[in-house]
Amino acid sequence: MPFFFSCKKKDDAPVHKNSLKLNWNHQFNQSEIREDSLSFLNYFGDTLSISRVTYFLSGFKLTGDDNVYTSPHIALVDLFGSKNLSFELGDIPDGHYHTIEFMFGLDSAINVFGSISNTLEHNEMFWPSSMGGGYHFMKMEGHYLDSGRTKGYAVHIGKNGHQISYSFPVQLDLPNHSKMNFDVKLEEWLTNPYNYRFSKDGPFTMAYDNLMQLIVNNGKDVFDVKSIQ
Amino acid sequence: MVKMFLMLNPYSDMSKNLKKLVLSLLVLSGLLLYACKKTNNEAASSVYVFEIPEGFPQPNTDPNNPMSNEGIELGRLLYYDTALSYGGPQSGLACASCHFQEYGFTIPAQNVLPHCNLAWSRNFLWKGEFEGTLETIMQFEVNTFFEVDVQHLIARGYYQEKFKKAFGTTQITDTLIAKALAQFIRTLVSSDSKYDKFTRGEVQLSASELRGMDMFFSEKGDCFHCHGNAMFTDNDFHNIGLITKSQGDMGRYLITGASHDVGRFKTPGLRNVGLRQSFMHDGRFKTLKEVIQHYNSGVKHTEYLDPLLDKPPLGLTESEISDLEAFLLTLTDPIFISNKKFSNPYKP
């Protein structure tokens, strides 16, 4: 690829391009998350931990006064693997942008196993074709206390229809800004509108369309723009 | 049958074009690296094109160790050479002394992790003592496990020329030995099992094997969460309910000191699993059936049990267990265990 760039003829009227760093700050009830620490409470007061959070983000789009920017970037965020907790969108033209949009999961057109770059990490998110095919959009796993006994849970979603689109009004000026900080409120997956209780609803979602849909419906408030710098 | 293949084969939607693109980029990267790396005193080693089997992801490589045919040949000689630990702690042994090709590069009755598809591994040994690439673990094997004495290799008489061809120097170092071994082991790719041929549409599975595959890749058997990709391992560590009483069962905790790692061990790949006679990190199970029985009804609950296994017993019938076993046996790769490119070069 460097060859191709070096051979590319310079544009007579170059458009200044910017990069925008996106930071994803994960929390549960506004608390920092330690791996598999039984220290969080759900809506019902049940204690739970989080031992794994891995999910896809894609379809990044900035809409400005004069232009629209879209990015092909796909990020597989891995909280405890410390992967893609920050990443950059590149080649964004100067300008004022009033909206940022992105998708949780992968568009159905690319939710086909092998249709995105086949890295080890992507490979490990595969969703069996006999269950719909494509990729897990999210694996959130951990333990919870049920009548004093530690049990496991696994919130997995990834079927077409589980994509969630987010759109936030922003005041982003490039090149003056370079960072956007997001809160990722993991407790939201388990509440609002449905107060999900592992001991009652079931600790494993993947085989149950109705359970996965409850989680998806709760996902609308998981992400939020915290600040722009 | 084509319809059935598309329905059941978890890799049926793999984009062939993408695979070709990835392969092309890898070859291009290799050529660029090679071009940049070459120096005046370097011999002209020939670039080895690592072919990614259909459905496999990009391998885990070390840019400081571009593969060459000469490097692989050297690595193969070292792999089978008992001079590797002459006078050392493993005196008289070579890598191949514990990794028999005919058993998928392991010892059937011991809990030795096989040298199979390690090109896609990010961590090594049962507790993940080493993370990185094959070069990382091979450096440990050379320096600590075998305590290689270079003089014994020089005494063989032919190694200096081999190192010259592979790395452009007659000076044999522990790092270059590790690099050569890593190159050879990276070529140990198993991708021609009956299952692979089925995914390529070349053969059919029996009814029992198909039922077993369906169970494997569904919540009923729920094998796929940890073993569900081309390598049949998720490159991760899990506490699978084997009880963690003894120090030996503490697993990855002994490496990280993190309580959530208590009893967690590396997920072994399942390719050629039918050739093994010892299973789990301590070899406690002697048959595949025992392993399946463990997951079916033997998982012991502790606070450290992996969430994915904290379920009621699977409740598989004897017939379903046989089906699952039949599917696992389709992962045996007769070409892998007889490929002369991987065999002992000291034997005619």
Side-chain angles (χ1 to χ4, degrees), chain A residues 1-4 35-36 51-52 83 111-121 123-124 126-131 133-134 136 139 141-143 149-154 156 203-207, chain B residues 6-15 18 25 28 32 55-58 60 120 122 214 217-219 224-225 228-231 233-236 260 264 301-308 310-311:
Chain A
M1 293 304 279
F3 272 3
F4 303 141
E35 186 171 353
D36 211 10
S51 62
R52 173 175 186 145
K83 286 176 183 163
N111 187 28
V112 177
F113 190 72
S115 66
I116 62 174
S117 62
N118 197 3
T119 63
L120 272 171
E121 291 80 7
N123 203 267
E124 287 152 14
F126 113 110
W127 186 285
S129 59
S130 58
M131 299 175 75
H136 282 76
K139 295 180 182 178
E141 300 165 8
H143 293 95
R149 181 182 162 95
T150 306
K151 294 183 177 178
Y153 73 86
H156 291 190
F204 303 98
T205 63
M206 190 167 171
Chain B
L6 290 172
M7 284 171 61
L8 295 176
N9 166 18
Y11 298 107
S12 60
D13 39 19
M14 168 59 60
S15 162
L18 180 71
L25 287 173
L28 179 61
L32 286 172
F56 281 59
Q58 297 154 36
N60 190 20
W120 291 275
R122 290 191 301 253
D214 204 25
F217 287 110
S218 73
E219 292 284 356
F224 71 93
H225 273 117
N229 52 33
M231 292 78 62
T233 170
D234 62 356
N235 260 313
D236 207 345
H260 59 260
R264 292 173 82 193
H301 180 276
T302 67
E303 62 186 297
Y304 305 109
L305 179 63
D306 193 285
L308 290 169
D310 203 353
K311 294 179 172 178

Side-chain angles (χ1 to χ4, degrees), chain A:
Chain A
M1 293 304 279
F3 272 3
F4 303 141
F5 285 127
S6 60
C7 297
K8 193 178 177 182
K9 195 177 177 181
K10 285 188 176 177
D11 198 317
D12 290 338
V15 176
H16 184 253
K17 298 289 181 67
N18 305 273
S19 61
L20 178 66
K21 189 171 188 178
L22 306 182
N23 297 319
W24 306 86
N25 173 37
H26 295 76
Q27 51 191 269
F28 197 102
N29 291 340
Q30 299 183 318
S31 296
E32 187 182 339
I33 298 172
R34 283 186 295 122
E35 186 171 353
D36 211 10
S37 168
L38 277 165
S39 54
F40 304 117
L41 299 177
N42 68 4
Y43 172 84
F44 300 96
D46 300 334
T47 303
L48 59 91
S49 73
I50 297 174
S51 62
R52 173 175 186 145
V53 180
T54 315
Y55 58 90
F56 277 109
L57 296 176
S58 62
F60 291 93
K61 180 181 176 184
L62 293 169
T63 304
D65 298 335
D66 304 315
N67 51 25
V68 173
Y69 163 87
T70 59
S71 168
H73 188 74
I74 293 170
L76 178 59
V77 180
D78 181 354
L79 176 57
F80 298 118
S82 298
K83 286 176 183 163
N84 290 318
L85 301 181
S86 290
F87 55 85
E88 286 189 350
L89 304 180
D91 293 329
I92 310 172
D94 284 355
H96 175 259
Y97 295 89
H98 54 73
T99 307
I100 183 168
E101 296 169 68
F102 60 89
M103 175 183 283
F104 165 84
L106 301 168
D107 186 85
S108 57
I110 56 172
N111 187 28
V112 177
F113 190 72
S115 66
I116 62 174
S117 62
N118 197 3
T119 63
L120 272 171
E121 291 80 7
H122 292 173
N123 203 267
E124 287 152 14
M125 293 294 278
F126 113 110
W127 186 285
S129 59
S130 58
M131 299 175 75
Y135 296 88
H136 282 76
F137 293 168
M138 178 174 75
K139 295 180 182 178
M140 185 167 91
E141 300 165 8
H143 293 95
Y144 67 102
L145 292 180
D146 183 6
S147 304
R149 181 182 162 95
T150 306
K151 294 183 177 178
Y153 73 86
V155 174
H156 291 190
I157 48 180
K159 280 188 161 181
N160 286 330
H162 293 169
Q163 293 90 349
I164 305 173
S165 295
Y166 294 90
S167 177
F168 298 99
V170 291
Q171 295 295 328
L172 176 69
D173 287 301
L174 297 177
N176 294 329
H177 292 129
S178 61
K179 286 182 194 168
M180 195 175 283
N181 300 307
F182 288 86
D183 281 340
V184 186
K185 297 175 280 188
L186 295 178
E187 75 278 7
E188 289 288 341
W189 287 115
L190 305 177
T191 190
N192 187 19
Y194 186 78
N195 295 316
Y196 197 102
R197 195 171 201 180
F198 296 125
S199 58
K200 178 173 75 75
D201 298 301
F204 303 98
T205 63
M206 190 167 171
Y208 306 101
D209 285 340
N210 59 328
L211 298 187
M212 290 192 286
Q213 195 57 53
L214 289 173
I215 299 294
V216 171
N217 294 344
N218 282 347
K220 60 184 173 42
D221 295 320
V222 169
F223 298 93
D224 200 5
V225 177
K226 184 180 183 186
S227 62
I228 299 172
Q229 297 171 290

Side-chain angles (χ1 to χ4, degrees), chain B residues 137-250:
Chain B
I137 177 70
M138 284 305 119
Q139 193 71 58
F140 160 77
E141 301 283 359
V142 168
N143 292 131
T144 307
F145 187 74
F146 285 118
E147 291 186 11
V148 176
D149 183 341
V150 171
Q151 295 308 317
H152 291 298
L153 296 181
I154 292 172
R156 290 288 202 206
Y158 50 77
Y159 272 119
Q160 285 168 302
E161 182 200 346
K162 297 289 183 186
F163 274 83
K164 174 78 175 173
K165 284 184 176 174
F167 297 112
T169 176
T170 56
Q171 191 170 356
I172 301 175
T173 66
D174 58 337
T175 300
L176 292 181
I177 295 168
K179 283 186 171 183
L181 285 168
Q183 287 193 35
F184 173 64
I185 294 173
R186 192 166 278 127
T187 67
L188 300 179
V189 175
S190 175
S191 62
D192 267 314
S193 65
K194 185 178 182 182
Y195 167 75
D196 294 299
K197 289 177 179 171
F198 169 73
T199 64
R200 298 195 294 259
E202 296 167 9
V203 300
Q204 287 301 319
L205 299 185
S206 71
S208 174
E209 290 163 346
L210 284 170
R211 287 194 299 270
M213 185 175 79
D214 204 25
M215 231 178 304
F216 187 96
F217 287 110
S218 73
E219 292 284 356
K220 186 172 179 64
D222 199 13
C223 313
F224 71 93
H225 273 117
C226 301
H227 295 285
N229 52 33
M231 292 78 62
F232 288 89
T233 170
D234 62 356
N235 260 313
D236 207 345
F237 303 87
H238 298 276
N239 181 322
I240 58 170
L242 294 168
I243 308 183
T244 56
K245 284 181 178 171
S246 69
Q247 180 81 348
D249 286 340
M250 294 298 277

